[in-house]
């Protein structure tokens, strides 16, 4: 029987009417603030014909315009920020579709908000003082590592700031330091399990691991079951994108939806036309950050497809739950926790003169890890009988792709005319992974 514990029992179990009142008050403040402090939002509001005084109740949110990832790119690097630059305590950066990254800024308050959100979440997974949490997300510009790190410290746990890679050392330290929890991508945990076996170590029998907090890529319930059964642990889903702050929310011990903290974030689920779906229907996730300062987002189109569950959870928390993410509304691929857009690949390839017009991206699961192969047609002029020439070109393409994607890809060169041609919308991506 899981132990029920809360980081902030009063707010996590607050009546939903109280949460709605908080949301309404914060929404009005937010709209006022961004209208005053951001040229971007002021122009957006004017285009939509809406003024701050038009927003009185939560329902009025429908009058506000959406915000898109493209807006962040178009306003690179910091033109959407709403505080003076000397208030920005930290930056994180994620890759974008055109090679231009998205820059996210945090005030001291934003980092505290992020940390608190994860402290609530990690507590809801049964973690706390005495736990030893191995953080195996990337540290640095990516939000996963530092986000989980701060959350883990906040709840009084010990942290092993491992970062990614060096799998055998990860396993040794997990065993030697008695890690009780790990935060990483699900595919990486499966890879660790495989590697441990080769080292003659059973994570189930030889380690103290009891909890995994897994995310940054979609994963199925089948994968969860496999992880839990073979490793003897509980695996929880974690959610959040860099634009929202980074990872923010997890499932609780009920493992039936991800609690989104309603006092700080306002969730909507919309259909293709941008209208709200009926209760319990699936649609695109739209998020408004009610408490963020440096880079508040109003009706941000996250792009993930999910279902919202407003019923009170058996854990006692009243905050709404996002059910398992069902997919993306666009064509983004997530490979080993890294976002890859076909347009990024295209933009790289098209700068290389030896590359023809056609290419194909193949995502597949090799063992437990996802791999990306880019099949590229070489121009007739550049196609050589000499293997050495082709290998040189292959290496060059790999190198250029890695610079932009931050990901090692396989490259296969083929002769012009080899790849399928399409009438209308081309099918450049073949996702062979079954998730
Ligand atoms: Zn719950």
């Amino acid at each position: 029987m899981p132990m029920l514990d809360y980081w902030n029992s009063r707010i996590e179990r607050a009546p939903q009417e109280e949460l709605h009142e908080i949301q309404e008050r914060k929404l009005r403040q937010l709209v006022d603030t961004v209208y005053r402090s951001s040229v971007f939002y002021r122009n957006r509001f004017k285009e939509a014909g809406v003024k701050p005084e038009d927003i009185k109740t939560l329902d009025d949110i429908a009058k506000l315009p959406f915000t898109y990832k493209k807006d962040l790119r178009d306003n690179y690097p910091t033109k959407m920020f709403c505080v003076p630059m000397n208030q920005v305590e930290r930056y994180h950066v994620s890759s974008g579709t055109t090679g231009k990254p998205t820059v996210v800024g945090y005030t001291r308050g934003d980092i505290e908000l992020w940390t608190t959100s994860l402290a609530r979440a990690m507590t809801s997974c049964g973690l706390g003082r005495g736990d030893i949490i191995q953080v195996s997300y990337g540290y640095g510009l990516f939000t996963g590592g530092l986000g989980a790190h701060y959350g883990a410290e906040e709840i009084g746990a010990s942290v092993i700031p491992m970062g990614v890679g060096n799998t055998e050392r990860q396993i040794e330290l997990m065993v030697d330091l008695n890690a009780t929890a790990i935060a990483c991508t699900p595919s990486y945990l499966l890879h660790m399990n495989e590697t441990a076996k080769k080292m003659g170590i059973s994570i189930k029998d030889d380690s103290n691991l009891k909890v995994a907090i897994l995310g940054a890529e979609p994963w199925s319930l089948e994968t969860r079951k496999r992880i839990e059964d073979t490793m003897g642990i509980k695996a929880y889903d974690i959610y959040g994108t860099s634009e929202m702050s980074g990872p923010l929310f997890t499932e609780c011990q009920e493992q039936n939806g991800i609690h989104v903290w309603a006092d700080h974030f306002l969730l909507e689920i919309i259909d293709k036309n941008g209208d709200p779906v009926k209760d319990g229907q699936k649609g695109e996730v739209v998020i408004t950050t009610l408490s963020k300062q440096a880079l508040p987002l109003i009706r941000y189109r996250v792009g993930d497809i999910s279902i919202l569950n407003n019923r009170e959870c058996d854990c006692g928390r009243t905050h709404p739950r996002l059910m398992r993410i069902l997919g993306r509304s666009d064509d983004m691929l997530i490979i080993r926790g890294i976002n890859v857009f076909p347009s990024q690949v295209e933009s790289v390839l098209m700068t290389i003169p030896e590359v023809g017009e056609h290419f194909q991206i193949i995502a597949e699961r090799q063992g437990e890890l996802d791999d990306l192969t880019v099949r590229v047609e070489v121009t007739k002029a550049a196609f050589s009988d000499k293997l050495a020439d082709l290998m040189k070109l292959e290496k060059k393409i790999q190198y250029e792709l890695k610079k932009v994607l931050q990901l090692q890809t396989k490259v296969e060169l083929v002769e012009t005319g080899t790849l399928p041609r399409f009438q209308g919308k081309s099918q450049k991506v073949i996702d062979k992974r079954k998730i």
Side-chain angles (χ1 to χ4, degrees), residues 226-396:
R226 202 158 138 203
I227 287 172
E228 293 192 333
D229 291 350
T230 57
M231 302 175 76
I233 61 173
K234 282 275 178 200
Y236 297 99
D237 205 359
I238 187 167
Y239 185 66
T241 68
S242 66
E243 301 82 50
M244 296 176 199
S245 272
L248 286 161
F249 317 113
T250 65
E251 296 172 303
C252 64
Q253 284 173 305
E254 298 296 327
Q255 293 184 308
N256 187 20
I258 293 161
H259 284 287
V260 174
W261 310 119
D263 50 330
H264 297 301
F265 298 89
L266 179 52
L267 268 180
E268 297 171 85
I269 304 287
I270 59 166
D271 63 20
K272 280 202 171 71
N273 303 320
D275 297 321
V277 298
K278 287 203 184 73
D279 250 7
Q281 297 290 301
K282 77 173 180 196
E284 186 186 335
V285 178
V286 174
I287 203 153
T288 298
T289 65
L290 296 170
S291 309
K292 273 182 78 189
Q293 297 167 332
L295 185 57
L297 293 172
I298 290 184
R299 303 194 85 201
Y300 181 70
R301 301 278 292 258
V302 181
D304 293 322
I305 304 296
S306 182
I307 294 168
L308 188 61
N309 181 350
N310 279 309
R311 285 192 304 280
E312 189 179 319
C313 183
D314 289 341
C315 73
R317 290 176 182 82
T318 49
H319 296 241
R321 278 169 288 164
L322 265 184
M323 305 316 277
R324 190 157 273 267
I325 303 300
L326 301 166
R328 296 279 312 177
S329 63
D330 55 22
D331 55 2
M332 187 185 83
L333 289 162
I334 302 179
I335 307 289
R336 304 191 185 195
I338 294 172
N339 297 351
V340 177
F341 293 87
S343 53
Q344 271 179 309
V345 175
E346 185 166 344
S347 69
V348 171
L349 293 179
M350 293 309 133
T351 61
I352 300 169
E354 296 93 331
V355 169
E357 306 301 325
H358 296 272
F359 67 94
Q360 219 173 32
I361 301 168
I362 300 133
E364 50 196 341
R365 194 149 282 174
Q366 303 281 12
E368 302 296 357
L369 285 176
D370 290 343
D371 268 327
L372 201 69
T373 303
V374 182
R375 205 171 275 161
V376 179
E377 283 193 5
V378 178
T379 60
K380 280 208 176 78
F383 206 85
S384 165
D385 288 338
K386 280 193 223 131
L387 195 60
D389 290 350
L390 289 177
M391 281 175 73
K392 212 169 126 192
L393 178 58
E394 222 174 76
K395 286 261 169 329
K396 176 178 165 187

Side-chain angles (χ1 to χ4, degrees), residues 57-123:
T57 70
L58 278 183
D59 289 338
D60 292 331
I61 196 168
K63 297 174 184 168
L64 294 169
F66 292 114
T67 313
Y68 299 86
K69 177 121 182 162
K70 184 177 184 305
D71 295 322
L72 290 162
R73 288 201 308 270
D74 290 349
N75 290 282
Y76 176 88
T78 58
K79 285 197 283 265
M80 274 175 72
F81 283 25
C82 292
V83 294
M85 297 313 286
N86 66 4
Q87 299 296 302
V88 176
E89 189 169 289
R90 196 198 296 170
Y91 296 97
H92 281 283
V93 181
S94 75
S95 65
T97 61
T98 57
K100 198 167 242 191
T102 306
V103 176
V104 186
Y106 305 74
T107 63
R108 172 67 56 92
D110 290 335
I111 290 184
E112 280 168 8
L113 165 68
W114 186 12
T115 301
T116 302
S117 182
L118 274 177
R120 288 186 197 172
M122 286 175 166
T123 307

